[in-house]
Short mmCIF file of all heavy atoms in Angstrom, two decimals:
data_model
loop_
_atom_site.label_atom_id
_atom_site.label_comp_id
_atom_site.label_asym_id
_atom_site.label_seq_id
_atom_site.Cartn_x
_atom_site.Cartn_y
_atom_site.Cartn_z
N LYS A 1178 28.81 -9.30 -11.37
CA LYS A 1178 29.38 -8.54 -12.48
C LYS A 1178 28.39 -8.55 -13.63
O LYS A 1178 28.33 -9.48 -14.43
CB LYS A 1178 30.72 -9.17 -12.91
CG LYS A 1178 31.44 -8.42 -14.02
CD LYS A 1178 32.73 -9.14 -14.39
CE LYS A 1178 33.41 -8.47 -15.57
NZ LYS A 1178 34.65 -9.22 -15.99
N LEU A 1179 27.56 -7.50 -13.70
CA LEU A 1179 26.48 -7.45 -14.66
C LEU A 1179 26.93 -7.00 -16.05
O LEU A 1179 26.44 -7.46 -17.06
CB LEU A 1179 25.38 -6.49 -14.19
CG LEU A 1179 24.63 -6.85 -12.90
CD1 LEU A 1179 23.60 -5.79 -12.62
CD2 LEU A 1179 23.97 -8.23 -13.03
N ALA A 1180 27.83 -6.02 -16.08
CA ALA A 1180 28.25 -5.41 -17.34
C ALA A 1180 29.60 -4.73 -17.11
O ALA A 1180 30.16 -4.79 -16.02
CB ALA A 1180 27.21 -4.40 -17.83
N LYS A 1181 30.10 -4.05 -18.13
CA LYS A 1181 31.45 -3.48 -18.07
C LYS A 1181 31.65 -2.57 -16.87
O LYS A 1181 32.71 -2.59 -16.23
CB LYS A 1181 31.77 -2.73 -19.35
CG LYS A 1181 33.19 -2.17 -19.41
CD LYS A 1181 33.48 -1.49 -20.73
CE LYS A 1181 34.91 -0.96 -20.76
NZ LYS A 1181 35.23 -0.29 -22.06
N ARG A 1182 30.65 -1.75 -16.55
CA ARG A 1182 30.78 -0.80 -15.44
C ARG A 1182 29.69 -0.99 -14.39
O ARG A 1182 29.31 -0.06 -13.71
CB ARG A 1182 30.78 0.63 -15.97
CG ARG A 1182 32.04 0.95 -16.78
CD ARG A 1182 32.09 2.41 -17.24
NE ARG A 1182 33.39 2.72 -17.83
CZ ARG A 1182 33.73 2.44 -19.09
NH1 ARG A 1182 32.83 1.86 -19.90
NH2 ARG A 1182 34.92 2.75 -19.56
N GLN A 1183 29.20 -2.23 -14.27
CA GLN A 1183 28.13 -2.51 -13.30
C GLN A 1183 28.49 -3.72 -12.47
O GLN A 1183 28.67 -4.83 -13.00
CB GLN A 1183 26.80 -2.79 -14.03
CG GLN A 1183 26.43 -1.83 -15.12
CD GLN A 1183 26.13 -0.42 -14.63
OE1 GLN A 1183 25.87 -0.20 -13.46
NE2 GLN A 1183 26.16 0.55 -15.55
N ALA A 1184 28.62 -3.53 -11.15
CA ALA A 1184 28.87 -4.64 -10.24
C ALA A 1184 28.15 -4.37 -8.92
O ALA A 1184 28.78 -4.07 -7.90
CB ALA A 1184 30.35 -4.89 -10.04
N PRO A 1185 26.82 -4.44 -8.92
CA PRO A 1185 26.08 -4.21 -7.67
C PRO A 1185 26.17 -5.42 -6.76
O PRO A 1185 26.64 -6.50 -7.16
CB PRO A 1185 24.64 -4.00 -8.16
CG PRO A 1185 24.57 -4.84 -9.42
CD PRO A 1185 25.93 -4.72 -10.06
N GLU A 1186 25.68 -5.26 -5.55
CA GLU A 1186 25.67 -6.33 -4.57
C GLU A 1186 24.26 -6.51 -4.04
O GLU A 1186 23.83 -5.81 -3.13
CB GLU A 1186 26.62 -6.00 -3.40
CG GLU A 1186 26.75 -7.07 -2.36
CD GLU A 1186 27.63 -6.66 -1.20
OE1 GLU A 1186 28.87 -6.66 -1.38
OE2 GLU A 1186 27.09 -6.31 -0.13
N PRO A 1187 23.50 -7.45 -4.61
CA PRO A 1187 22.17 -7.69 -4.07
C PRO A 1187 22.23 -8.11 -2.61
O PRO A 1187 23.21 -8.74 -2.17
CB PRO A 1187 21.64 -8.84 -4.97
CG PRO A 1187 22.47 -8.79 -6.19
CD PRO A 1187 23.82 -8.31 -5.76
N ASP A 1188 21.18 -7.79 -1.87
CA ASP A 1188 21.18 -8.18 -0.47
C ASP A 1188 21.13 -9.71 -0.31
O ASP A 1188 21.81 -10.27 0.54
CB ASP A 1188 19.99 -7.54 0.25
CG ASP A 1188 20.18 -6.05 0.47
OD1 ASP A 1188 21.31 -5.65 0.79
OD2 ASP A 1188 19.21 -5.28 0.30
N VAL A 1189 20.31 -10.35 -1.13
CA VAL A 1189 20.20 -11.82 -1.11
C VAL A 1189 20.07 -12.27 -2.55
O VAL A 1189 19.45 -11.58 -3.38
CB VAL A 1189 18.99 -12.29 -0.27
CG1 VAL A 1189 18.90 -13.82 -0.27
CG2 VAL A 1189 19.07 -11.77 1.16
N MET A 1190 20.60 -13.44 -2.86
CA MET A 1190 20.44 -14.03 -4.18
C MET A 1190 20.18 -15.53 -4.07
O MET A 1190 20.62 -16.17 -3.11
CB MET A 1190 21.70 -13.85 -5.03
CG MET A 1190 21.97 -12.47 -5.52
SD MET A 1190 23.47 -12.42 -6.56
CE MET A 1190 24.77 -12.65 -5.34
N VAL A 1191 19.48 -16.05 -5.07
CA VAL A 1191 19.46 -17.49 -5.29
C VAL A 1191 20.30 -17.73 -6.54
O VAL A 1191 20.06 -17.10 -7.57
CB VAL A 1191 18.03 -18.03 -5.49
CG1 VAL A 1191 18.08 -19.51 -5.92
CG2 VAL A 1191 17.24 -17.88 -4.20
N ILE A 1192 21.30 -18.61 -6.41
CA ILE A 1192 22.19 -18.89 -7.52
C ILE A 1192 22.14 -20.38 -7.85
O ILE A 1192 21.64 -21.18 -7.05
CB ILE A 1192 23.64 -18.48 -7.19
CG1 ILE A 1192 24.16 -19.28 -5.99
CG2 ILE A 1192 23.73 -16.99 -6.95
CD1 ILE A 1192 25.63 -19.12 -5.72
N ILE A 1193 22.65 -20.74 -9.03
CA ILE A 1193 22.71 -22.15 -9.37
C ILE A 1193 23.80 -22.80 -8.51
O ILE A 1193 24.82 -22.18 -8.19
CB ILE A 1193 23.00 -22.36 -10.87
CG1 ILE A 1193 24.29 -21.66 -11.30
CG2 ILE A 1193 21.81 -21.85 -11.69
CD1 ILE A 1193 24.68 -21.96 -12.73
N ALA A 1194 23.58 -24.04 -8.12
CA ALA A 1194 24.50 -24.71 -7.19
C ALA A 1194 25.90 -24.82 -7.77
O ALA A 1194 26.88 -24.80 -7.02
CB ALA A 1194 23.94 -26.09 -6.84
N GLU A 1195 26.02 -24.95 -9.11
CA GLU A 1195 27.36 -25.09 -9.70
C GLU A 1195 28.24 -23.87 -9.44
O GLU A 1195 29.46 -23.97 -9.44
CB GLU A 1195 27.23 -25.30 -11.23
CG GLU A 1195 26.66 -26.64 -11.63
CD GLU A 1195 25.15 -26.63 -11.71
OE1 GLU A 1195 24.52 -25.72 -11.11
OE2 GLU A 1195 24.57 -27.51 -12.38
N ALA A 1196 27.62 -22.69 -9.21
CA ALA A 1196 28.39 -21.48 -8.96
C ALA A 1196 28.75 -21.30 -7.50
O ALA A 1196 29.55 -20.42 -7.17
CB ALA A 1196 27.59 -20.26 -9.45
N PHE A 1197 28.18 -22.12 -6.63
CA PHE A 1197 28.40 -21.99 -5.19
C PHE A 1197 29.67 -22.75 -4.80
O PHE A 1197 29.68 -23.98 -4.77
CB PHE A 1197 27.19 -22.52 -4.42
CG PHE A 1197 27.28 -22.33 -2.92
CD1 PHE A 1197 27.05 -21.07 -2.37
CD2 PHE A 1197 27.60 -23.38 -2.08
CE1 PHE A 1197 27.12 -20.88 -1.01
CE2 PHE A 1197 27.68 -23.20 -0.71
CZ PHE A 1197 27.45 -21.95 -0.17
N LYS A 1198 30.77 -22.01 -4.56
CA LYS A 1198 32.06 -22.63 -4.30
C LYS A 1198 32.69 -21.97 -3.08
O LYS A 1198 33.60 -21.15 -3.21
CB LYS A 1198 32.96 -22.52 -5.51
CG LYS A 1198 32.39 -23.19 -6.76
CD LYS A 1198 33.22 -22.93 -7.99
CE LYS A 1198 32.60 -23.59 -9.21
NZ LYS A 1198 33.39 -23.30 -10.45
N PRO A 1199 32.20 -22.28 -1.86
CA PRO A 1199 32.67 -21.60 -0.67
C PRO A 1199 34.12 -21.83 -0.33
O PRO A 1199 34.73 -21.03 0.39
CB PRO A 1199 31.75 -22.16 0.43
CG PRO A 1199 31.29 -23.47 -0.09
CD PRO A 1199 31.17 -23.29 -1.58
N LYS A 1200 34.74 -22.89 -0.87
CA LYS A 1200 36.14 -23.17 -0.56
C LYS A 1200 37.09 -22.48 -1.51
O LYS A 1200 38.31 -22.58 -1.39
CB LYS A 1200 36.39 -24.67 -0.56
CG LYS A 1200 35.64 -25.41 0.55
CD LYS A 1200 35.98 -26.89 0.56
CE LYS A 1200 35.25 -27.59 1.69
NZ LYS A 1200 35.56 -29.05 1.72
N ILE A 1201 36.53 -21.75 -2.49
CA ILE A 1201 37.33 -21.02 -3.47
C ILE A 1201 37.15 -19.53 -3.20
O ILE A 1201 36.05 -19.07 -2.90
CB ILE A 1201 36.93 -21.38 -4.90
CG1 ILE A 1201 37.15 -22.87 -5.13
CG2 ILE A 1201 37.70 -20.56 -5.92
CD1 ILE A 1201 36.69 -23.37 -6.48
N SER A 1202 38.22 -18.74 -3.34
CA SER A 1202 38.15 -17.31 -3.00
C SER A 1202 37.47 -16.52 -4.11
O SER A 1202 38.04 -15.59 -4.69
CB SER A 1202 39.56 -16.77 -2.76
OG SER A 1202 40.38 -16.98 -3.88
N SER A 1203 36.23 -16.89 -4.41
CA SER A 1203 35.46 -16.14 -5.40
C SER A 1203 34.92 -14.86 -4.80
O SER A 1203 34.52 -14.81 -3.65
CB SER A 1203 34.28 -17.01 -5.88
OG SER A 1203 33.46 -16.29 -6.76
#
Side-chain angles (χ1 to χ4, degrees):
K1178 183 181 176 183
L1179 295 180
K1181 183 177 181 180
R1182 291 184 172 83
Q1183 314 293 342
E1186 183 183 284
D1188 287 320
V1189 180
M1190 288 182 288
V1191 172
I1192 61 170
I1193 57 174
E1195 290 88 340
F1197 185 77
K1198 300 173 182 178
K1200 295 184 179 180
I1201 299 176
S1202 57
S1203 176

